Structure formats: C-alpha cells, structure tokens
C-alpha cells in the first residue's frame, strides 16, 4: 500500500461566662504564643546570600519564591545569581529567567534565554518527535501484546484493503479479478484497479461471502475507502478523477484521486458528485466521519500540507454544504505521510503515518481529540498491528473492541490483506494525577490550596483547589511530564515535576508545603524549617564543608534573631561500622558544628551537643539487616533541638 493510495495560625476560642476564667485562658494563650518563633525562611535565605554564600538550591528557591508571586524584578536578581554559578539547569529556568528579563527591560538577554530554551526543547518537528520519543521502540513494545490478530478470511491473491461498516456489512476495496472482460490493470503495479466489495458481518464481527458492492459507483479506475452515515443513506468514497465518463487530469497530465459523495435512492447508490474542495491538481482521499457526522476527516496533499500528505478536516453543514478544509496541524502531521484517518465514537482518531517514529513503512497511530479540538499525545498502537511493512486503514468498534486493519506484511495472502482483531487492552492511556497537600512540619492536610498544572514546556493545562481533605486530582496523559505548582496563603509556593507512567492507572503526587513563617517551640527541630536533614562532612572526617556552612548560616541567622534560643545539637550515623566508632565520629561532628556556631558569634552557654552514633535509628536498619542506601540515609541525620526560647 506504500505506493498505492495515499494537563499556622493557632486559633483559640474562649467561651466562658466567668470573666476571670476567660482572662486566665487569654493569659495562657498569650504565653503560649510568646513561646513560639515565627521564622521567615525566605528572609533568612536572603540574609545568608547577602553574606556571600551561594548554592544552586538556595538561588532556585529565592528565584521561584518571587517568580511564583509575580515579583519578576526580584526573581530576575536571584535567577541571575543562579545562572552565574551554573548553566546546567532544566529548561524551565531558562524560560522563567527570560520572562523576568523581559519584565525588567533586558530584551536582548531575554531573547538569548528564550533561544536557549527553544534549543533545549528542539525545533525541527521530526527531531522533536525523536527527542520526545528517544525510547520509542521500548514504547512500542510496551504498547504491544494488546491484540489478537488473524486473517479476516475475505482476502484474495490481489490487493484487499480498507474497511467500513455499512449496516450489517463490511465494505472494502479489492483488486480481485472477477472474470469480467472489462477488468483493467494499472500499468504502475500490474494490479487490477480496485472496486468496492462487501461481505456480510454478523454480531461476532465474522465475515461471510464476498460480493460486489454496487455497480453504480463502479468506474474504469480505482474506488476505495468508503464511509457511511449512520442512517445508511449517504456514502463518501475515494475514486480516481473520473466522473460521468470523463477523466480529469492535473497540469502534469496525471489522473489524481478525489473524494466523492453518493446517495441511496431506491436501494441503489446514485447522484455521485465530487466534493467542492477537490481539485484536479492535488489529491483528496480516505474520508472518515466524526461520530456526530458534522466533521469529515480526510487525507490530502493540497496547498498548506506540511508533508507529503496530511490529515485535514472540514465541516459538514446541515444543508449538505461544506466549510473550508483545515489542516490538523503539526501535532499530528509531519514532513512525512499521514493518511487513512478513522474516528470512533470515543473521539479517538486513528491514522497511518511514516513520519512518526514507528517500525517501518506506514504504522498506525492514535490520539484523542479533546473537547477544544486539541490533540493528546500521539501513540503507536503496537507491534501486533504494526509491522516493518505498511499497516493502515484501521477500524474499531468501541463496544466489542473488535475491528479490522490492512497490511502488506509478510505472510499475507495477496498484495494487501485485511486482518481482523480483538483489542484485549485499551491503549489510550487515561491517567489520574492525584495527591494530598499538607503542612510539611505538622503533617496536617491543607484545604483551599491552589494548584496549577503545566506541561513540559510550561504551558498551563488546568487548575484545581484542594478539598477539605487536602486532596486534588487532574486528568493527565500517560507518558508525559508535568509540573504541579501549589500556592496557599502563609505558605511558600512549591512546584513539583512528575513523569506519568506509560500505562493506564493513577499516579500519586503528595506535596508538603513549608510555612512562609516556620512555627517552632521547645522540643522541635529547628532544622526542619530549612529542610536540613544532616550537616555534611567528608568521609571519616569532622571538618565543616562548604555545603554544611551554608546550612549552619541559616541556623546562625535564626539564633541571632532569637538571642534567648538554646539548642541541643545531635549527630547520628547509620549502623554501618562499629558502634563504638560511629558514636565517637558523630560526637566529633556534633562538637565541630557547635564550635562553628561559637566561632561565628553564638554564646557557648546556648549550645550543647552530643553524638549518638547508631543508638537512635529511625528504621529497621540495624546491624545485620540488609537495607538500601536510601534507608541508611534516614539514619544519617543532624538535629537542632530547641531547648529554650
């Protein structure tokens, strides 16, 4: 066939008729409030940065904090600091920095960042497709094993292809020799010209005897690819440029193909006319109707085509007239060939293409058409249907999941053959991205948090608000990367990236937000305000590393804000190594941490500390228990326990 037809505030309520009791409770509340420290983490980050400390993580948090709140001038400053120490960043930072630069009037630099963003994203459509689908063979493999395929049982030694359901019959094209003296062969491939044939179709989608379709639509040339309205009274089909005995030719003297329309009159197909958007100088072919029959899809190489042939659509008006054809765009069309569209009643469009990554020749692909007309991710239907040869003309009944497709694969009976199938597992991946928004420190769920869903290029897809249980959900596409941004009053905005699996199901993404002002009291770990899990030392040493100094600057800043605050600094190890050695090493590290703070101005009377080695493990990973590196990491931690405020 390849060469044939083309997305803290503590509230204290005091209700008492006893005024003295009320005053007592208020006093207690005041005392409780005064014993809490409200720490603005962002301000601490800024003060630490102003002292000359820098880190990718800190600059990202500062830039994002202002970017998410539309303070683009401040965001530009910190993103600038970020890019000054590294350019090895995800593409979104180029995108955000560019917008910030444009906001402050640095247009030339903004253009530079946008260009780098686009370079990272890819420009050429085919290069973009291969970039987005570098593991496309693995994806095709994952999409395979979903069909039971067998010969349809109606094939001849010639070309048999295309299928449409008409009432209780299957209508298809065939070049079989019926014994007619008028049967003509095409000089190009020595195959007979195709005509329309039909076969009875029972409830199990099994086929019966083959017969000619209708002599009134038979011509001296090709007829193929028919589609019918539900009432059975209108047919669209493909034919060479031939009508009423007259053959049309292009400027290059070639007889191309066109879409024709016929009406059922007295049980016969009559009133054959060509559609108004046809032309002698380009081809239109392989019509397909939307479920509501208001849109006709077809393949063409008409002006405006992006490749050798594209999928177009045209509106079918109530009075029988047609709108102007529209190219479906580069979401589906490539510089190669896209042809043989089919639309089912679930608004999925199947088509054949040699431009999208496939197994060879024409492969069959599918995507879903959204309510706004946009298309979801294009997916290869898998190796059961697709082969290294041409596979095309896919049709499926969504209720039985049975259908037909055509192929010239090895092992067939003729030049092209029709195969029938049972789809045992749907491909269109319907994933739900869901989770719970919570407070990072208290673990309490957060209602009324605003969530925004972005695609991989940071186009906004959807928004949501967490419910009373902190829950949210988005309908997303499989095998795509999204970013979820969460914003809530009194909390620092946060954005998480998530890759959706290439299979049906649900994907959980719980997001914990940090208070814009951390709430701590006696007994709490001050390090949780800044996500300090441990103070890092070189292996087998207790010298303060640069990364550790950056985190200790945060602790130092808070202690300077709260001069009566006292800390118990605790250092822990995992269970690997001897217990005696781990205890000694952790004790040295705790003392090194204390000495650093004292050296930088903290009174030694405010600090105590000790190393606990492996004596306070937080999980099962004791001696002799096999654990992962990640599990051991939970035990290697530093704590800054508040003992007084």
């Amino acid at each position: 066939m390849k060469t044939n037809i083309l997305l803290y505030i503590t509230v204290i309520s005091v209700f008492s008729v006893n005024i003295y009791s009320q005053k007592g409770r208020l006093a207690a509340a005041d005392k409780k409030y005064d014993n809490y420290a409200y720490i603005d983490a962002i301000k601490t980050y800024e003060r630490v940065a102003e002292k000359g400390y820098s880190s990718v993580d800190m600059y990202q948090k500062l830039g994002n904090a202002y970017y998410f709140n539309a303070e683009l001038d401040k965001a530009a400053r910190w993103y600038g600091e970020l890019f000054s120490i590294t350019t090895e960043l995800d593409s979104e930072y180029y995108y955000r920095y560019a917008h910030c630069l444009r906001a402050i009037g640095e247009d030339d630099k903004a253009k530079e960042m946008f260009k780098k963003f686009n370079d990272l994203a890819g420009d050429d459509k085919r290069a973009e497709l291969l970039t987005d689908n570098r593991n496309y063979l693995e994806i095709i493999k994952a999409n395979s094993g979903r069909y039971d395929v067998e010969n349809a049982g109606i094939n001849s030694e010639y070309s048999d292809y295309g299928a449409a359901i008409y009432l209780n019959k299957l209508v298809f094209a065939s070049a079989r020799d019926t014994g007619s003296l008028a049967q003509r062969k095409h000089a190009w491939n020595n195959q007979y010209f195709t005509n329309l044939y039909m076969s009875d179709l029972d409830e199990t989608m099994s086929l019966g005897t083959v017969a000619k379709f209708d002599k009134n639509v038979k011509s001296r040339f090709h007829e193929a690819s028919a589609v019918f309205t539900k009432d059975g009274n209108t047919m669209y089909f493909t034919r060479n440029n031939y009508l009423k005995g007259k053959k049309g030719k292009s400027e290059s003297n070639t007889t191309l193909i066109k879409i024709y329309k016929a009406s059922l009159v007295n049980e016969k197909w009559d009133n054959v006319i060509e559609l108004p958007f046809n032309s002698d100088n380009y081809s239109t072919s392989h019509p397909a109707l939307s479920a509501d029959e208001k849109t006709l899809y077809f393949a063409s190489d008409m002006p405006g085509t992006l490749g050798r042939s594209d999928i177009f659509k045209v509106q079918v008006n109530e009075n029988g007239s047609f709108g102007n054809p529209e190219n479906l765009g580069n979401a589906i069309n490539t510089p190669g060939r896209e042809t043989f569209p089919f639309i089912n009643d679930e608004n999925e469009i199947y088509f054949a293409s040699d431009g999208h990554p496939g197994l060879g020749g024409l492969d069959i692909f599918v995507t879903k058409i959204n309510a706004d007309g946009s298309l979801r991710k294009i997916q290869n239907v898998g190796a059961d249907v697709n082969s290294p040869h041409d596979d095309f003309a896919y049709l499926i009944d969504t209720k039985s999941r049975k259908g037909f497709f055509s192929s010239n694969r090895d092992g067939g009976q003729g030049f092209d053959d029709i195969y029938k199938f049972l789809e045992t597992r749907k491909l269109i991946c319907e994933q739900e991205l869901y989770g719970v928004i919570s407070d990072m420190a208290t673990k309490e769920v957060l209602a009324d948090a605003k969530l925004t869903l972005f695609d991989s290029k940071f186009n906004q897809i959807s928004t949501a608000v967490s419910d009373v249980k902190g829950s949210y959900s988005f309908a997303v596409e499989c095998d795509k990367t999204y970013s979820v941004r969460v914003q809530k009053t009194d909390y620092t905005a946060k954005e998480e990236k998530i890759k959706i699996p290439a299979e049906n199901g649900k994907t959980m993404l719980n997001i914990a937000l940090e208070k814009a002002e951390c709430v701590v009291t006696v007994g709490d770990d001050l390090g949780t305000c800044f996500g300090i899990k441990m103070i890092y030392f070189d292996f087998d040493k207790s010298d303060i590393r640069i990364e550790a100094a950056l985190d200790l600057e945060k602790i130092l800043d808070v202690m300077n804000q709260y001069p009566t605050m006292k800390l118990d600094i605790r250092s822990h190890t995992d269970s690997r190594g001897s217990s005696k050695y781990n205890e000694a090493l952790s004790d040295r590290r705790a003392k090194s941490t204390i000495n650093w703070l004292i050296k930088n101005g903290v009174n030694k009377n405010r600090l105590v500390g000790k190393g606990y080695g492996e004596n306070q493990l937080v999980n099962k990973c004791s001696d002799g228990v096999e654990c992962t590196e990640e599990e051991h990491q939970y035990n290697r931690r530093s704590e800054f326990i508040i003992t007084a405020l």
Side-chain angles (χ1 to χ4, degrees):
M1 193 58 212
K2 189 172 184 179
T3 54
N4 269 352
I5 303 178
L6 288 135
L7 207 272
Y8 181 89
I9 292 176
T10 300
V11 179
I12 301 175
S13 299
V14 182
F15 297 98
S16 173
V17 295
N18 188 321
I19 189 170
Y20 299 104
S21 176
Q22 184 182 40
K23 287 181 178 179
R25 292 184 180 181
L26 285 172
D30 289 341
K31 184 176 180 180
K32 184 176 181 181
Y33 183 90
D34 291 338
N35 284 335
Y36 283 78
Y38 289 75
I39 300 162
D40 190 328
I42 294 301
K43 295 303 180 184
T44 291
Y45 286 133
E46 288 188 312
R47 286 189 290 267
V48 170
E50 296 292 352
K51 294 179 71 171
Y53 286 88
S54 65
S55 78
V56 170
D57 178 70
M58 182 173 67
Y59 288 148
Q60 286 176 331
K61 287 181 176 178
L62 283 168
N64 292 342
Y66 288 117
Y67 182 85
F68 296 157
N69 289 288
E71 295 183 69
L72 301 186
D73 55 338
K74 295 178 181 178
R77 175 192 175 189
W78 296 116
Y79 284 146
E81 295 290 348
L82 174 63
F83 277 85
S84 72
I85 60 175
T86 183
T87 56
E88 297 297 320
L89 297 163
D90 287 341
S91 60
E92 66 261 35
Y93 287 97
Y94 286 88
Y95 179 87
R96 295 174 191 167
Y97 191 27
H99 276 279
C100 295
L101 289 168
R102 178 171 288 175
I104 62 176
E106 294 189 23
D107 292 334
D108 290 340
K109 195 169 183 180
K111 289 179 182 178
E112 179 184 345
M113 289 297 117
F114 274 127
K115 182 180 185 303
K116 290 180 179 179
F117 171 75
N118 287 328
D119 289 342
L120 288 172
D123 292 323
D124 180 83
K125 176 64 178 178
R126 284 169 293 186
E128 180 182 335
L129 286 169
L130 289 172
T131 298
D132 291 344
N133 299 276
R134 281 175 294 211
N135 299 320
Y136 72 90
L137 290 175
E138 294 179 16
I139 295 172
I140 293 175
K141 183 178 180 180
N143 291 348
S144 303
R146 303 183 305 106
Y147 292 95
D148 294 332
V149 176
E150 61 180 298
N151 190 295
I154 56 171
N155 294 305
S156 68
E157 61 181 297
Y158 301 99
S159 184
D160 302 280
Y161 67 92
I165 294 176
Y166 168 56
L167 302 178
N168 61 342
K169 299 182 184 297
L170 188 78
V171 177
F172 62 97
S174 178
R176 64 189 64 200
D177 183 1
T178 60
S180 169
L181 293 176
Q183 187 80 352
R184 302 170 65 246
K185 288 186 177 183
H186 198 295
W188 189 10
N189 56 14
N190 203 37
Q191 285 281 308
Y192 290 108
F193 282 96
T194 60
N195 297 130
L196 295 177
Y197 287 78
M198 61 185 179
S199 174
D200 290 336
L201 190 68
D202 66 20
E203 293 179 354
T204 67
M205 301 284 277
S206 295
L207 295 167
T209 303
V210 175
K212 295 179 181 180
F213 178 64
D214 191 299
K215 66 179 182 179
N216 289 341
V217 295
K218 181 180 180 298
S219 74
R220 299 169 55 203
F221 300 97
H222 284 296
E223 278 85 31
S225 305
V227 65
F228 301 84
T229 55
K230 292 185 181 71
D231 61 11
N233 293 326
T234 302
M235 172 177 68
Y236 301 93
F237 64 100
T238 304
R239 174 195 282 175
N240 278 110
N241 188 353
Y242 184 85
L243 184 63
K244 296 180 180 179
K246 183 179 179 180
K247 180 173 67 172
K249 293 185 177 182
S250 69
E251 294 175 354
S252 60
N253 203 36
T254 303
T255 299
L256 301 176
I257 52 178
K258 295 183 175 183
I259 299 175
Y260 294 84
K261 176 182 176 181
S263 301
L264 189 66
V265 180
N266 297 323
E267 303 301 317
K268 298 292 183 181
W269 290 101
D270 204 351
N271 301 327
V272 177
I273 61 172
E274 66 170 281
L275 299 191
F277 48 83
N278 287 334
S279 171
D280 290 343
N281 293 308
Y282 57 77
S283 290
T284 58
S285 59
H286 314 311
L289 279 169
S290 60
D292 61 9
E293 301 182 353
K294 294 180 180 180
T295 305
L296 185 75
Y297 293 82
F298 62 95
S300 179
D301 59 354
M302 66 172 57
T305 300
L306 304 178
R308 294 175 58 194
S309 68
D310 286 1
I311 307 295
F312 290 78
K313 67 177 180 180
V314 65
Q315 182 177 333
V316 181
N317 300 316
E318 290 185 7
N319 63 3
S321 65
F322 295 84
N324 296 318
E326 298 176 43
N327 190 300
L328 291 194
N330 61 10
I332 190 170
N333 293 314
T334 73
R337 287 186 303 158
E338 280 69 48
T339 186
F340 284 97
F342 169 76
I343 319 294
N344 65 20
D345 56 9
E346 294 178 348
N347 227 25
E348 295 169 347
I349 179 169
Y350 292 84
F351 63 95
S353 171
D354 60 9
H356 292 271
L359 296 177
L362 292 171
D363 271 27
I364 296 167
F365 296 84
V366 62
T367 185
K368 190 162 188 173
I369 305 173
N370 296 317
D372 62 0
S374 62
L375 300 172
R376 293 192 182 180
K377 180 181 176 65
I378 308 296
Q379 297 194 69
N380 187 299
V381 300
D384 309 290
V385 166
N386 289 322
S387 71
H389 300 279
D390 284 334
D391 308 285
F392 55 97
Y394 183 100
L395 175 154
I396 188 171
D397 172 69
T398 58
K399 305 300 183 295
S400 67
R401 308 311 296 181
K402 294 181 178 180
F404 302 89
F405 71 94
S406 304
S407 179
N408 64 354
R409 65 187 56 194
D410 293 337
Q413 188 172 337
F415 192 78
D416 294 308
D417 289 296
I418 298 173
Y419 295 83
K420 65 179 180 178
F421 65 80
L422 169 66
E423 185 186 46
T424 59
R425 173 171 58 88
K426 292 186 67 174
L427 175 61
I428 288 294
C429 209
E430 297 180 352
Q431 271 268 353
E432 178 187 0
L433 176 59
Y434 74 103
V436 174
I437 310 303
S438 63
D439 184 300
M440 181 178 289
T442 68
K443 312 303 180 186
E444 294 179 359
V445 299
L446 298 177
D448 300 319
K450 178 185 176 182
L451 297 101
T452 308
L453 181 71
F454 298 89
D455 65 16
S456 60
K457 292 189 176 181
F458 294 89
N459 298 307
Q460 181 174 319
I461 303 300
S462 185
T463 61
V465 176
S466 60
D467 62 21
V468 294
K469 296 181 180 179
S471 300
Y472 75 93
S473 69
F474 290 109
V476 295
E477 298 180 39
C478 295
D479 198 32
K480 293 192 76 170
T481 298
Y482 294 90
S483 291
V484 179
R485 183 181 299 168
V486 189
Q487 296 167 286
K488 184 173 173 59
T489 303
D490 298 327
Y491 285 86
T492 300
K494 191 171 187 178
E495 191 171 275
E496 293 277 1
K497 184 181 288 187
I498 182 75
K499 175 68 184 293
I500 305 301
E503 57 187 20
N504 288 286
K506 296 182 177 183
T507 299
M508 182 172 66
L509 178 62
N510 295 327
I511 302 177
L513 299 182
E514 295 179 82
K515 270 284 191 177
E517 294 180 328
C518 296
V519 183
V520 292
T521 188
V522 172
D524 288 343
D525 183 357
L526 180 59
T528 60
C529 277
F530 306 100
I532 302 173
K533 295 181 180 178
M534 66 180 293
I535 297 298
Y536 288 89
F537 299 85
D538 288 327
F539 177 72
D540 203 30
K541 294 183 179 181
S542 55
D543 299 328
I544 300 295
R545 286 169 45 176
I546 294 176
E547 307 96 296
L550 176 60
D551 280 335
L552 289 178
E553 279 285 355
K554 303 169 189 176
I555 301 299
L556 177 62
D557 184 81
V558 174
M559 296 197 76
N560 288 336
Q561 292 180 66
Y562 298 89
T564 60
M565 179 184 284
K566 294 183 179 181
L567 296 179
D568 178 5
I569 298 172
R570 305 172 183 178
S571 177
H572 304 268
T573 69
D574 58 40
S575 62
R576 294 176 292 187
S578 71
S579 176
K580 183 178 180 179
Y581 178 81
N582 285 335
E583 187 171 343
L585 178 62
S586 63
D587 196 59
R588 291 197 303 273
R589 290 178 170 178
K591 287 180 171 57
S592 290
T593 302
I594 292 172
N595 290 335
W596 188 96
L597 291 169
I598 293 172
K599 182 179 178 181
N600 284 274
V602 179
N603 191 303
K604 65 180 181 180
N605 295 327
R606 299 173 62 192
L607 302 168
V608 295
K610 180 182 177 180
Y612 292 85
E614 59 183 90
N615 297 322
Q616 295 185 2
L617 301 176
V618 294
N619 55 26
K620 66 179 182 179
C621 301
S622 57
D623 290 333
V625 177
E626 185 176 344
C627 289
T628 65
E629 183 61 34
E630 183 179 7
E631 289 173 318
H632 283 302
Q633 178 68 61
Y634 285 114
N635 293 312
R636 298 197 303 273
R637 65 197 190 279
S638 297
E639 298 173 324
F640 299 84
I641 307 301
I642 300 170
T643 59
L645 275 172

